[in-house]
């Protein structure tokens, strides 16, 4: 990617991030019925400096398919709210028991366990309130169902459940079982972000199929690189505690394939993700920056440091 395009893409991503952060801020100005401590905990975790990968995916997919960014912003917020809730709950003592997230003390460390649980619960509900306000109502219903499935028992929560309980039975694991966990725990929400962007844009079937494929491969590659970061990353740059997979006997790609094998698998999966975008090269696309943004995100994931 030449320097000029790379600069335009970086400005585009910054612009999307600003719009997302402003909308998340506005969506969490609650009325007096929301207890102050709960409001503070929600905003502390949600507005902390995450990469905003999933909401950027919603907006970029929407613009790539000719949709209106403004209409997709509440959807982008909803996805980030689900992500933030899952991180708060994942960090709890009953799950991963972490003290650092996004470079800050985790929600239950900063506040307390009950507040963190309730902040997560509130974010989960708030996400669907955002989608419920979409117009037309058919779009609202379609988006609600899509996100509910991705966040539900067969995807995000199911993947987390298997991750938590199968840590005890490492010997019976296989690369297929890890992939099955990763596709649900991490991949489903990433894939859904792209699908939701397509829904808002009223994307064609072919556009949607291509982005869906992209989401499946990118989502898996994201978790493989996350596993690699856990082994090789720098704690300060990543902003969370590392070396947890080995410590907790968790299933991970480096554990099964070794670091080099996991790197090869990430590279292979990212090539598949990039290949899924070929469809848009031949299409008369309405937004070239959006396409270049997806290419750049693939490249960044391959070189990921946080
Ligand atoms: C508790 C229902 C429930 C689910 C938890 C999110 C999750 C499922 C587990 C988190 C464990 C983990 C580190 C998964 C790896 C992938 C992942 C979700 C990483 C964090 O996402 P990033 O890197 O984070 O996009 P930021 O902070 O940048 O948003």
């Amino acid at each position: 990617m030449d320097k000029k395009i790379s600069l335009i893409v970086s400005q585009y991503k910054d612009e999307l991030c600003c719009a997302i952060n402003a909308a998340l801020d506005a969506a969490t100005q609650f009325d007096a019925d929301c207890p102050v401590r709960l409001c503070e905990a929600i905003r502390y975790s949600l507005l902390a400096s995450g990469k905003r990968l999933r909401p950027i995916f919603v907006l970029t997919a929407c613009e790539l398919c000719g949709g209106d960014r403004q209409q997709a912003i509440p959807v982008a917020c909803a996805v980030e709210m689900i992500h933030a809730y899952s991180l708060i709950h994942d960090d709890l003592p009953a799950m991963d028991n972490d003290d650092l997230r996004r470079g800050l003390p985790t929600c239950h460390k900063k506040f307390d366990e009950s507040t963190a649980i309730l902040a997560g619960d509130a974010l989960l509900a708030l996400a669907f309130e955002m989608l419920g306000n979409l117009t037309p109502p058919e779009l609202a219903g379609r988006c609600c169902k899509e996100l509910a499935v991705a966040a539900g028992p067969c995807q995000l929560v199911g993947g987390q459940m298997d991750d938590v309980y199968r840590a005890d039975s490492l010997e019976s694991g296989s690369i297929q079982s890890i992939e099955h966990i990763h596709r649900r725990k991490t991949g489903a929400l990433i894939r859904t972000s792209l699908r939701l962007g397509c829904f808002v844009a009223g994307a064609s079937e072919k556009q949607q199929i291509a982005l869906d494929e992209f989401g499946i491969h990118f989502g898996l590659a994201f978790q493989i690189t996350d596993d690699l970061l856990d082994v090789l990353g720098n704690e300060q740059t990543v902003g969370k505690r590392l070396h947890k997979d080995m410590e907790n006997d968790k299933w991970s790609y480096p554990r099964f394939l070794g670091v080099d094998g996991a790197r090869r698998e990430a590279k292979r999966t990212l090539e598949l993700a990039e290949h899924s975008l070929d469809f848009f090269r031949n299409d008369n696309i309405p937004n070239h920056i959006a396409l270049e943004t997806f290419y750049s995100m693939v490249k960044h994931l391959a070189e990921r440091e946080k």
Side-chain angles (χ1 to χ4, degrees):
M1 183 176 293
D2 78 28
K3 274 200 174 142
K4 198 170 150 211
I5 296 183
S6 157
L7 183 67
I8 294 172
V9 164
S10 149
Q11 284 166 347
Y12 177 72
K13 281 199 281 187
D14 287 348
E15 196 182 299
L16 297 187
C17 257
C18 280
I20 293 157
N21 288 336
L24 290 173
D25 182 9
T28 51
Q29 307 281 349
F30 304 111
D31 69 31
D33 281 343
C34 176
V36 172
R37 189 174 174 80
L38 179 61
C39 174
E40 279 172 3
I42 291 169
R43 289 173 59 82
Y44 174 79
S45 292
L46 183 68
L47 304 180
S49 64
K51 295 184 289 298
R52 309 289 186 239
L53 170 84
R54 297 150 192 82
I56 289 179
F57 266 17
V58 173
L59 301 184
T60 308
C62 175
E63 294 207 318
L64 178 59
C65 299
D68 171 18
R69 184 190 305 177
Q70 283 315 316
Q71 212 193 351
I73 293 253
V75 182
C77 288
V79 171
E80 186 65 15
M81 286 168 180
I82 296 286
H83 173 56
Y85 126 75
S86 77
L87 296 180
I88 295 172
H89 281 196
D90 184 66
D91 290 334
L92 288 167
M95 300 239 186
D96 250 15
N97 193 17
D98 265 316
D99 0 339
L100 197 63
R101 170 69 66 188
R102 293 176 163 176
L104 296 171
T106 45
C107 194
H108 67 276
K109 284 279 168 192
K110 172 83 182 171
F111 296 88
D112 56 75
E113 244 183 279
S114 311
T115 306
I117 292 170
L118 293 170
D121 293 343
L123 280 165
L124 176 59
L126 196 56
F128 291 98
E129 185 185 333
M130 300 291 294
L131 297 183
N133 286 332
L134 290 174
T135 52
E138 295 72 33
L139 178 66
R142 198 173 176 211
C143 290
C144 274
K145 181 170 178 205
E146 173 72 24
L147 191 60
V149 171
C154 300
Q155 299 294 328
L156 174 68
V157 174
Q160 175 75 353
M161 181 79 181
D162 281 345
D163 197 32
V164 168
Y165 283 96
R166 287 192 191 163
D168 300 334
S169 54
L170 192 70
E171 67 287 348
S172 61
S174 65
I175 202 69
Q176 285 79 16
S177 5
I178 303 188
E179 188 177 318
H180 189 224
I181 290 177
H182 286 5
R183 282 198 188 284
R184 290 170 294 149
K185 187 184 86 166
T186 310
L189 199 56
I190 290 178
R191 177 183 180 194
T192 277
S193 304
L194 294 154
R195 289 172 56 84
L196 288 169
C198 287
F199 290 179
V200 176
S204 70
E205 200 183 331
K206 284 187 175 165
Q207 288 173 322
Q208 197 174 307
I209 290 172
L211 281 180
D212 201 24
E213 277 280 302
F214 175 69
I216 291 171
H217 298 308
F218 191 98
L220 183 59
F222 187 84
Q223 180 64 60
I224 301 174
T225 56
D226 204 78
D227 286 357
L228 279 164
L229 271 187
D230 189 68
V231 180
L232 304 171
N234 173 298
E235 209 150 74
Q236 269 200 326
T237 316
V238 181
K240 62 181 182 185
R241 193 160 57 82
L242 299 178
H243 313 300
K244 290 182 311 186
D245 291 342
M246 207 52 103
E247 240 172 62
N248 300 334
D249 245 6
K250 279 269 177 87
W251 292 6
S252 76
Y253 270 75
R255 182 121 196 201
F256 275 83
L257 300 179
V259 166
D260 288 342
R263 277 193 176 127
R264 274 196 299 278
E265 193 53 21
K267 185 167 178 287
R268 190 185 72 83
T269 314
L270 280 171
E271 280 166 4
L272 290 173
E274 198 171 57
H275 202 57
S276 320
L277 297 172
D278 285 353
F279 165 78
F280 291 98
R281 280 184 191 272
N282 309 318
D283 200 20
N284 193 8
I285 53 170
N287 191 322
H288 284 275
I289 303 174
L291 181 59
E292 291 299 338
T293 299
F294 282 135
Y295 283 124
S296 120
M297 288 170 105
V298 169
K299 187 167 168 282
H300 275 105
L301 197 57
E303 301 159 357
R304 182 175 176 200
E305 285 184 357
K306 65 178 194 167

